[in-house]
Amino acid sequence: MAFAQPTHSPAELLEVRDLVKYFPIENSDDVVRAVDGISFSILQGETLGLVGESGCGKSTVGRCLIRLHEPTSGEIWFDGKEITKLPAGEMRDLRREMQIIFQDPYASLNPRHSILSIVSEPLKIHGIGTKQERKERVADLLAKVGLDPRYMLRYPHEFSGGQRQRIGIARALALNPKLIICDEPVSALDVSVQAQVVNLLQDLQAEFGLTYLFISHGLAVVEHISTRVAVMYLGKIVEIADARDLYSEPLHPYTQALLSAIPVPDPKRKRERTVLTGDVPTPIDPPSGCRFRTRCPIAIEECSKVVPELRELRPGHFAACIRAE
């Protein structure tokens, strides 16, 4: 059956309906179809992992949700309110409930500001607390993310990459948000530091009841942190399922190829690798029918004619492939 549009439910914090984001090309009538009609929902307290190759539109989705990018069309429902048409003042107030952790901990912190200024900035913008109360709040937040509160008078260049990302997490927590968009928050960090930051995010989620959209191309990291996983390819969601089901029995050939590339931490075990041929097509002029067909090992002629819908092939497991069973 066709993938049903999400319906309002007390357990659903975020619903996305047919989200589209096109970027115009200068001096051309063409557009970049970064996100091309996707729908999904996120339940209160869960982590939805969003994965796919670089350039598939993952980060654009996250930025559209908090309207750093204005959607071309579609609906975004947050906590029962449709937010795509909210005026700037109301959207600023709503951002108290929605925060983002950026990918690059080096670029996302202003090098001219102290950590106290960086972490307390959301509080100042929204007029929360006195100067002393904001300072106490920053000290508490730094302790929560595993940093010494005395560091608040230092500057970003005095910290390692992992410490800077902890500062970014503290800033995201400052306003007690309900939803945090984690835009590849560990991809710029060493592997050992990645594990520390992911564990920190999980601890904070348990303590504060947070909801995450966790965007990443690191499939092993996503498996560790996610409740459910959505897989994107060239602006479309091609599969979405419970994390355990998706990793154990992927149904879409693209997901199967991605998972086959995850290294196995055992030299005696061999994983059969599915190697995709060709390059990712351009989002300016995507292939007709199924966008994955030009690289798909099981594509047939009909794949060029039919745009596959997300179908529920198993309970809670959706895939957009006419050959997936």
Side-chain angles (χ1 to χ4, degrees), residues 78 81 182 187 239 249 251 299:
F78 178 77
K81 179 183 292 186
C182 307
S187 64
E239 187 164 2
E249 294 187 78
L251 300 178

Side-chain angles (χ1 to χ4, degrees), residues 94-323:
L94 187 66
R95 287 199 179 104
R96 294 181 61 168
E97 309 289 336
M98 308 168 70
Q99 292 290 305
I100 186 168
I101 302 168
F102 293 100
Q103 175 180 358
D104 188 350
Y106 298 92
S108 62
L109 304 179
N110 191 325
R112 297 185 178 184
H113 287 189
S114 69
I115 303 311
L116 172 60
S117 176
I118 289 170
V119 178
S120 66
E121 184 176 18
L123 300 170
K124 288 188 284 185
I125 289 173
H126 290 276
I128 298 174
T130 64
K131 184 176 180 180
Q132 180 60 33
E133 287 171 341
R134 290 195 292 266
K135 186 175 181 180
E136 292 172 359
R137 173 67 172 157
V138 171
D140 181 59
L141 288 168
L142 291 179
K144 291 288 186 187
V145 300
L147 294 175
D148 191 324
R150 293 175 295 178
Y151 292 171
M152 71 172 68
L153 298 181
R154 297 184 181 181
Y155 288 80
H157 72 270
E158 301 179 72
F159 296 89
S160 67
Q163 288 174 322
R164 292 187 203 196
Q165 198 60 292
R166 289 172 184 267
I167 294 165
I169 294 170
R171 178 175 58 185
L173 288 172
L175 296 171
N176 291 318
K178 294 180 180 178
L179 173 68
I180 295 181
I181 296 163
C182 307
D183 186 8
E184 306 226 29
V186 298
S187 64
L189 306 177
D190 293 339
V191 173
S192 60
V193 181
Q194 287 183 11
Q196 294 172 15
V197 172
V198 168
N199 289 337
L200 171 63
L201 289 170
Q202 290 182 307
D203 291 342
L204 293 171
Q205 183 176 41
E207 183 174 353
F208 297 109
L210 299 169
T211 302
Y212 293 144
L213 174 65
F214 192 91
I215 300 167
S216 179
H217 60 263
L219 293 166
V221 174
V222 170
E223 180 182 18
H224 181 69
I225 197 172
S226 299
T227 312
R228 290 185 300 130
V229 177
V231 182
M232 280 193 74
Y233 182 82
L234 207 61
K236 295 278 193 180
I237 289 180
V238 297
E239 187 164 2
I240 185 166
D242 178 86
R244 183 178 300 176
D245 292 342
L246 186 134
Y247 277 81
S248 62
E249 294 187 78
L251 300 178
H252 195 282
Y254 177 61
T255 309
Q256 293 168 359
L258 287 180
L259 296 183
S260 76
I262 300 177
V264 179
D266 184 347
K268 296 180 180 180
R269 286 181 57 197
K270 296 292 183 181
R271 172 176 281 161
E272 185 176 346
R273 178 77 188 274
T274 301
V275 180
L276 300 178
T277 59
D279 296 325
V280 179
T282 171
I284 299 173
D285 184 24
S288 63
C290 175
R291 296 189 173 186
F292 183 60
R293 66 176 176 80
T294 57
R295 304 173 71 200
C296 181
I298 62 171
I300 57 177
E301 184 179 354
E302 189 178 0
C303 296
S304 66
K305 303 173 183 177
V306 177
V307 178
E309 293 185 339
L310 277 169
R311 296 179 295 137
E312 189 173 19
L313 302 177
R314 296 175 185 165
H317 197 148
F318 299 84
C321 176
I322 62 173
R323 302 201 64 194

Side-chain angles (χ1 to χ4, degrees), residues 17 19-20 64-65 67 70-77 81-91 94:
R17 300 179 178 181
L19 180 66
V20 173
C64 283
L65 296 185
R67 287 179 55 187
E70 292 294 341
T72 302
S73 65
E75 298 179 359
I76 300 170
W77 291 82
K81 179 183 292 186
E82 210 286 308
I83 68 172
T84 57
K85 301 297 190 296
L86 286 182
E90 290 186 43
M91 191 64 211
L94 187 66

